[in-house]
Amino acid sequence: MTSDIFLFIAVGFCAQIVDGALGMAFGVLSTTSLLAFGVPAANASAMTHVTEMFTTAASGLSHAYHRNVDWRLVARLAPAGMIGGAIGAYLLANIDGKVIAPFVSAYLIAIGLLIFYKAFRPPSRREVRDWAVPPVGFCGGLLDAIGGGGWGPVVTSTLVGRGHDLKRVIGSTNFTEFAVTLTISLTFILTLGWSELNSAIGLIIGGVIAAPFGAILVERLPVRALMVAVSMVIITTSALRIF
């Protein structure tokens, strides 16, 4: 415990509120904040993923309690996401993930604009049989491991953009993220070894405290407002990463 513990608790709390309500951005916000506080990039990524093992478990259970989880969607996302996450974590140990970051951010900005457009169009619905679900899960896990965050933006934004129900997508991606994050964290530990993660304690405390509130916000906020908020988070965070 250090004097900075309360700062990290605040970062974890705020990042999880956003992630729980919008289905994305914990990894991006936490990693960005840690880097701003002078934490080395490798440690920031490791701390974020270790923290997400706790926050995603709490958030996923909360969404399940509030019946925001589509179990058929989870069954199709989880295996592909775990495989992609393990591969991404292994690659990151040998390749600089910053090389592909601008391309990922450009893709996310396009998805954000698409969701913003769809927020003001009559909603369309696709069944969970949508062929893109497993590939999206695989890419989401891969990019999350390589970029230090991205499961929510890639998976949530793409599935919502393809017409899936927003609230069910948010709940399902939050629930599935626990399995993906656990896989990524274990792969990092096996390939890089265990490192000093004291700052993760504050992130874990803040994130776990905030987790139930995100699920409640999903039930209370209107769908259109959520879609606009999702698009703004994606566009803003992705543009900041590019610049």
Side-chain angles (χ1 to χ4, degrees):
M1 293 290 184
T2 68
S3 59
D4 294 329
I5 184 85
F6 297 107
L7 180 62
F8 290 120
I9 289 174
V11 170
F13 183 89
C14 294
Q16 184 56 39
I17 282 288
V18 174
D19 190 273
L22 302 182
M24 63 187 69
F26 182 90
V28 173
L29 294 175
S30 296
T31 301
T32 302
S33 299
L34 291 173
L35 291 174
F37 297 146
V39 178
N43 288 355
S45 179
M47 285 183 227
T48 297
H49 282 96
V50 169
T51 302
E52 285 185 319
M53 288 194 299
F54 296 87
T55 59
T56 55
S59 180
L61 290 174
S62 183
H63 277 292
Y65 176 79
H66 289 279
R67 299 183 180 180
N68 295 328
V69 176
D70 186 326
W71 298 107
R72 295 178 300 166
L73 187 58
V74 170
R76 301 191 71 202
L77 276 177
M82 293 168 70
I83 293 172
I87 293 174
Y90 179 79
L91 290 176
L92 187 59
N94 301 281
I95 300 175
D96 186 1
K98 293 181 180 179
V99 174
I100 65 171
F103 300 99
V104 175
S105 296
Y107 163 78
L108 294 175
I109 289 175
I111 291 296
L113 292 172
L114 176 62
I115 294 175
F116 185 84
Y117 168 77
K118 283 182 172 290
F120 298 95
R121 298 286 295 177
S124 59
R125 294 286 183 265
R126 296 194 185 198
E127 295 296 327
V128 180
R129 291 192 301 271
D130 185 355
W131 64 269
V133 172
V136 167
F138 177 85
C139 292
L142 182 72
L143 296 174
D144 184 83
I146 292 177
W151 170 259
V154 171
V155 177
T156 301
S157 60
T158 303
L159 294 183
V160 171
R162 290 184 61 81
H164 287 278
D165 180 76
L166 176 65
K167 294 181 180 180
R168 290 301 182 93
V169 167
I170 291 175
S172 301
T173 54
N174 267 266
F175 189 90
T176 307
E177 192 174 8
F178 168 71
V180 176
T181 301
L182 178 62
T183 302
I184 292 173
S185 299
L186 291 177
T187 304
F188 272 131
I189 292 171
L190 291 174
T191 55
L192 300 177
W194 191 264
S195 60
E196 185 63 34
L197 300 173
N198 285 339
S199 299
I201 297 174
L203 294 178
I204 292 169
I205 294 173
V208 171
I209 292 173
F213 297 102
I216 294 173
L217 288 176
V218 169
E219 288 192 331
R220 299 293 188 271
L221 294 178
V223 171
R224 176 173 293 180
L226 274 177
M227 292 185 72
V228 171
V230 167
S231 68
M232 291 298 99
V233 168
I234 295 170
I235 293 170
T236 302
T237 57
S238 299
L240 288 174
R241 277 191 159 187
I242 288 178
F243 291 107

